[in-house]
Amino acid sequence: MPAMAKPALRLVVGNKNYSSWSMRPWVLARQAQIAFEEVQLKFDEAGGGLRVAGIDPYSPARKVPVLLVDGEPVWDSLAICETLAELHPQKKLWPADPAARAVARSVCAEMHSGFQGMRGAMPMNLRASHPGKGRTPQSEKDVARVIEIWTSCRARFGKGGEFLFGTFSVADAFYAPVVTRFRTYAVALPAPAEAYAKAVEQLAAVREWCDAGRRETEFVLADEPYAQK
Ligand SMILES: N[C@@H](CCC(=O)N[C@@H](CS)C(=O)NCC(=O)O)C(=O)O
């Protein structure tokens, strides 16, 4: 029987320098060599507040990222990554072992719904270098929790490779923006966490995203709490 054709994928992302939510599914798909067409939209702060210019035809939620699967929108980075994993089971984007998979889902969900202290005080900004900035009691607590997650996943499930669950998975795509934050704000990491951060930074897809982000020139005030005035 001929294999069913895979649906056409278009991934709509925001500014690569700033959009940590967009980075997750883009890195996942690119690293897994899942073909997609990229549409990049830019953040717009004219008129106050932050919006994504031109998003209306793509997403009912009016946020990036959004994945169009044969034209049908799937929005929110977690739903997008789940959809990519479901469409491409042979890519094994979640760990095969059920216990590891349950933890992988948990650490993704935890990252997705939490870490507001770190998000607020240490926004993703690939171009910038703000060593020591963004340390608040809440962000310190979030940083400590990230280190705990990385260390525990590596120790329990990481035997088969350099990533949280051994080989590259959705969990690594979810924590890739955090790796970049730790570099921007020069967070010192214990050896196992530092080794993991280096492995993520060296992923071809992460390098490609970060290089593109650093070449961008738009300045988004909402994401620049430490810019020199
Ligand atoms: N939970 C969503 C969050 C998406 C999100 O907040 N995206 C931001 C940019 S990184 C956005 O589009 N903001 C524009 C707006 O709020 O109008 C996800 O995981 O995709």
Side-chain angles (χ1 to χ4, degrees), residues 15-16 18-25 119 124 177 181 209:
N15 300 46
K16 288 186 170 139
Y18 298 112
S19 186
S20 59
W21 305 97
S22 300
M23 185 180 180
R24 299 166 171 183
R119 273 184 224 296
M124 189 170 99
R181 286 184 163 99
W209 175 279

Side-chain angles (χ1 to χ4, degrees), residues 174-194:
F174 263 64
Y175 282 85
V178 179
V179 169
T180 79
R181 286 184 163 99
F182 285 0
R183 297 318 196 204
T184 297
Y185 300 96
V187 175
L189 298 172
E194 176 60 28

